[in-house]
Short mmCIF file of all heavy atoms in Angstrom, two decimals:
data_model
loop_
_atom_site.label_atom_id
_atom_site.label_comp_id
_atom_site.label_asym_id
_atom_site.label_seq_id
_atom_site.Cartn_x
_atom_site.Cartn_y
_atom_site.Cartn_z
N GLY A 262 -11.96 -57.68 91.95
CA GLY A 262 -10.79 -57.71 91.12
C GLY A 262 -9.89 -58.90 91.38
O GLY A 262 -8.67 -58.81 91.15
N MET A 263 -10.44 -59.98 91.84
CA MET A 263 -9.62 -61.16 92.18
C MET A 263 -9.60 -62.21 91.06
O MET A 263 -9.19 -63.34 91.29
CB MET A 263 -10.13 -61.78 93.47
CG MET A 263 -10.03 -60.88 94.66
SD MET A 263 -10.73 -61.57 96.20
CE MET A 263 -9.69 -62.98 96.46
N LEU A 264 -10.08 -61.85 89.88
CA LEU A 264 -10.03 -62.75 88.75
C LEU A 264 -9.14 -62.19 87.65
O LEU A 264 -9.34 -62.49 86.47
CB LEU A 264 -11.44 -63.00 88.21
CG LEU A 264 -12.27 -63.97 89.04
CD1 LEU A 264 -13.75 -63.85 88.74
CD2 LEU A 264 -11.82 -65.41 88.75
N GLY A 265 -8.16 -61.44 88.07
CA GLY A 265 -7.18 -60.88 87.13
C GLY A 265 -5.92 -61.70 87.05
O GLY A 265 -5.81 -62.79 87.63
N THR A 266 -4.93 -61.15 86.38
CA THR A 266 -3.67 -61.82 86.21
C THR A 266 -2.98 -62.08 87.54
O THR A 266 -2.96 -61.23 88.43
CB THR A 266 -2.72 -60.95 85.33
OG1 THR A 266 -3.40 -60.69 84.09
CG2 THR A 266 -1.41 -61.67 85.07
N GLY A 267 -2.43 -63.26 87.68
CA GLY A 267 -1.74 -63.65 88.91
C GLY A 267 -2.53 -64.58 89.76
O GLY A 267 -1.96 -65.28 90.62
N TYR A 268 -3.85 -64.63 89.63
CA TYR A 268 -4.70 -65.51 90.42
C TYR A 268 -4.87 -66.86 89.72
O TYR A 268 -4.85 -66.93 88.48
CB TYR A 268 -6.09 -64.87 90.67
CG TYR A 268 -6.12 -63.86 91.75
CD1 TYR A 268 -5.88 -62.52 91.49
CD2 TYR A 268 -6.35 -64.22 93.10
CE1 TYR A 268 -5.94 -61.57 92.51
CE2 TYR A 268 -6.40 -63.31 94.10
CZ TYR A 268 -6.19 -61.97 93.80
OH TYR A 268 -6.22 -61.03 94.82
N VAL A 269 -5.05 -67.89 90.52
CA VAL A 269 -5.37 -69.22 90.04
C VAL A 269 -6.59 -69.72 90.84
O VAL A 269 -6.53 -69.77 92.07
CB VAL A 269 -4.21 -70.21 90.22
CG1 VAL A 269 -4.62 -71.61 89.82
CG2 VAL A 269 -3.02 -69.75 89.37
N TRP A 270 -7.68 -69.99 90.11
CA TRP A 270 -8.88 -70.50 90.78
C TRP A 270 -9.11 -71.94 90.33
O TRP A 270 -9.19 -72.23 89.12
CB TRP A 270 -10.09 -69.65 90.40
CG TRP A 270 -10.09 -68.28 91.00
CD1 TRP A 270 -9.47 -67.18 90.52
CD2 TRP A 270 -10.78 -67.85 92.18
NE1 TRP A 270 -9.67 -66.08 91.33
CE2 TRP A 270 -10.49 -66.47 92.37
CE3 TRP A 270 -11.60 -68.49 93.10
CZ2 TRP A 270 -10.99 -65.75 93.42
CZ3 TRP A 270 -12.13 -67.75 94.17
CH2 TRP A 270 -11.81 -66.41 94.32
N ILE A 271 -9.21 -72.83 91.29
CA ILE A 271 -9.50 -74.24 91.03
C ILE A 271 -10.79 -74.61 91.79
O ILE A 271 -10.82 -74.51 93.00
CB ILE A 271 -8.34 -75.14 91.46
CG1 ILE A 271 -7.04 -74.76 90.76
CG2 ILE A 271 -8.68 -76.63 91.19
CD1 ILE A 271 -5.82 -75.53 91.23
N ALA A 272 -11.80 -74.99 91.02
CA ALA A 272 -13.07 -75.38 91.62
C ALA A 272 -13.23 -76.88 91.58
O ALA A 272 -12.80 -77.55 90.62
CB ALA A 272 -14.23 -74.69 90.92
N THR A 273 -13.82 -77.44 92.62
CA THR A 273 -14.12 -78.86 92.59
C THR A 273 -15.25 -79.14 91.59
O THR A 273 -15.71 -78.22 90.91
CB THR A 273 -14.48 -79.38 93.98
OG1 THR A 273 -15.51 -78.55 94.55
CG2 THR A 273 -13.27 -79.29 94.91
N ASN A 274 -15.71 -80.39 91.50
CA ASN A 274 -16.60 -80.71 90.40
C ASN A 274 -17.99 -80.10 90.47
O ASN A 274 -18.81 -80.33 89.61
CB ASN A 274 -16.72 -82.25 90.28
CG ASN A 274 -17.29 -82.89 91.51
OD1 ASN A 274 -17.38 -82.28 92.59
ND2 ASN A 274 -17.71 -84.13 91.40
N TRP A 275 -18.27 -79.28 91.53
CA TRP A 275 -19.58 -78.61 91.54
C TRP A 275 -19.70 -77.64 90.39
O TRP A 275 -20.81 -77.49 89.82
CB TRP A 275 -19.74 -77.84 92.88
CG TRP A 275 -18.80 -76.67 93.07
CD1 TRP A 275 -17.61 -76.72 93.70
CD2 TRP A 275 -18.97 -75.35 92.56
NE1 TRP A 275 -16.99 -75.47 93.63
CE2 TRP A 275 -17.82 -74.63 92.95
CE3 TRP A 275 -19.99 -74.70 91.84
CZ2 TRP A 275 -17.68 -73.29 92.64
CZ3 TRP A 275 -19.81 -73.35 91.54
CH2 TRP A 275 -18.68 -72.67 91.93
N LEU A 276 -18.57 -77.02 89.95
CA LEU A 276 -18.67 -76.05 88.87
C LEU A 276 -18.93 -76.75 87.54
O LEU A 276 -19.74 -76.25 86.74
CB LEU A 276 -17.37 -75.24 88.78
CG LEU A 276 -17.33 -74.16 87.68
CD1 LEU A 276 -18.48 -73.18 87.85
CD2 LEU A 276 -15.98 -73.42 87.71
N SER A 277 -18.30 -77.86 87.28
CA SER A 277 -18.58 -78.59 86.05
C SER A 277 -20.01 -79.08 86.00
O SER A 277 -20.66 -79.13 84.95
CB SER A 277 -17.58 -79.76 85.88
OG SER A 277 -17.76 -80.71 86.94
N THR A 278 -20.54 -79.45 87.18
CA THR A 278 -21.96 -79.85 87.26
C THR A 278 -22.89 -78.69 86.90
O THR A 278 -23.88 -78.86 86.20
CB THR A 278 -22.29 -80.37 88.68
OG1 THR A 278 -21.39 -81.45 88.97
CG2 THR A 278 -23.70 -80.90 88.73
N VAL A 279 -22.57 -77.51 87.40
CA VAL A 279 -23.39 -76.31 87.08
C VAL A 279 -23.32 -76.04 85.58
O VAL A 279 -24.31 -75.73 84.91
CB VAL A 279 -22.89 -75.11 87.87
CG1 VAL A 279 -23.55 -73.82 87.40
CG2 VAL A 279 -23.17 -75.33 89.35
N LEU A 280 -22.07 -76.12 85.01
CA LEU A 280 -21.92 -75.82 83.58
C LEU A 280 -22.70 -76.84 82.70
O LEU A 280 -23.27 -76.46 81.68
CB LEU A 280 -20.43 -75.88 83.23
CG LEU A 280 -19.56 -74.76 83.76
CD1 LEU A 280 -18.10 -75.06 83.51
CD2 LEU A 280 -19.92 -73.42 83.17
N GLU A 281 -22.72 -78.09 83.14
CA GLU A 281 -23.47 -79.10 82.37
C GLU A 281 -24.97 -78.99 82.53
O GLU A 281 -25.75 -79.11 81.56
CB GLU A 281 -23.00 -80.49 82.79
CG GLU A 281 -21.54 -80.84 82.38
CD GLU A 281 -21.16 -82.19 82.89
OE1 GLU A 281 -21.42 -82.51 84.08
OE2 GLU A 281 -20.55 -82.95 82.12
N THR A 282 -25.42 -78.76 83.74
CA THR A 282 -26.85 -78.79 84.03
C THR A 282 -27.57 -77.52 83.57
O THR A 282 -28.68 -77.60 83.00
CB THR A 282 -27.07 -78.97 85.55
OG1 THR A 282 -26.35 -80.11 85.99
CG2 THR A 282 -28.56 -79.20 85.85
N ASN A 283 -26.99 -76.36 83.79
CA ASN A 283 -27.63 -75.08 83.51
C ASN A 283 -27.12 -74.44 82.26
O ASN A 283 -27.23 -73.25 82.04
CB ASN A 283 -27.44 -74.11 84.67
CG ASN A 283 -28.12 -74.56 85.93
OD1 ASN A 283 -29.03 -75.42 85.88
ND2 ASN A 283 -27.71 -74.02 87.07
N SER A 284 -26.49 -75.22 81.37
CA SER A 284 -25.95 -74.67 80.14
C SER A 284 -27.09 -74.25 79.19
O SER A 284 -28.10 -74.98 79.04
CB SER A 284 -25.07 -75.71 79.47
OG SER A 284 -24.51 -75.25 78.28
N PRO A 285 -26.92 -73.07 78.54
CA PRO A 285 -25.80 -72.15 78.67
C PRO A 285 -26.00 -71.17 79.84
O PRO A 285 -27.14 -70.76 80.10
CB PRO A 285 -25.79 -71.45 77.33
CG PRO A 285 -27.25 -71.41 76.94
CD PRO A 285 -27.85 -72.68 77.48
N LEU A 286 -24.95 -70.82 80.50
CA LEU A 286 -25.01 -69.83 81.57
C LEU A 286 -25.11 -68.43 80.94
O LEU A 286 -24.77 -68.22 79.76
CB LEU A 286 -23.80 -69.91 82.47
CG LEU A 286 -23.59 -71.19 83.31
CD1 LEU A 286 -22.32 -71.08 84.10
CD2 LEU A 286 -24.77 -71.41 84.24
N SER A 287 -25.54 -67.50 81.74
CA SER A 287 -25.63 -66.10 81.26
C SER A 287 -24.21 -65.59 80.97
O SER A 287 -23.21 -66.09 81.51
CB SER A 287 -26.29 -65.22 82.30
OG SER A 287 -25.51 -65.16 83.49
N GLN A 288 -24.12 -64.56 80.14
CA GLN A 288 -22.82 -63.99 79.82
C GLN A 288 -22.11 -63.45 81.03
O GLN A 288 -20.91 -63.55 81.17
CB GLN A 288 -22.98 -62.90 78.77
CG GLN A 288 -21.67 -62.35 78.20
CD GLN A 288 -20.82 -63.43 77.57
OE1 GLN A 288 -21.35 -64.21 76.74
NE2 GLN A 288 -19.53 -63.50 77.92
#
Side-chain angles (χ1 to χ4, degrees):
M263 297 175 65
L264 283 161
T266 304
Y268 280 91
V269 175
W270 290 83
I271 301 176
T273 52
N274 61 345
W275 66 267
L276 181 57
S277 61
T278 304
V279 171
L280 291 171
E281 291 177 314
T282 307
N283 295 343
S284 180
L286 294 179
S287 65
Q288 187 60 47

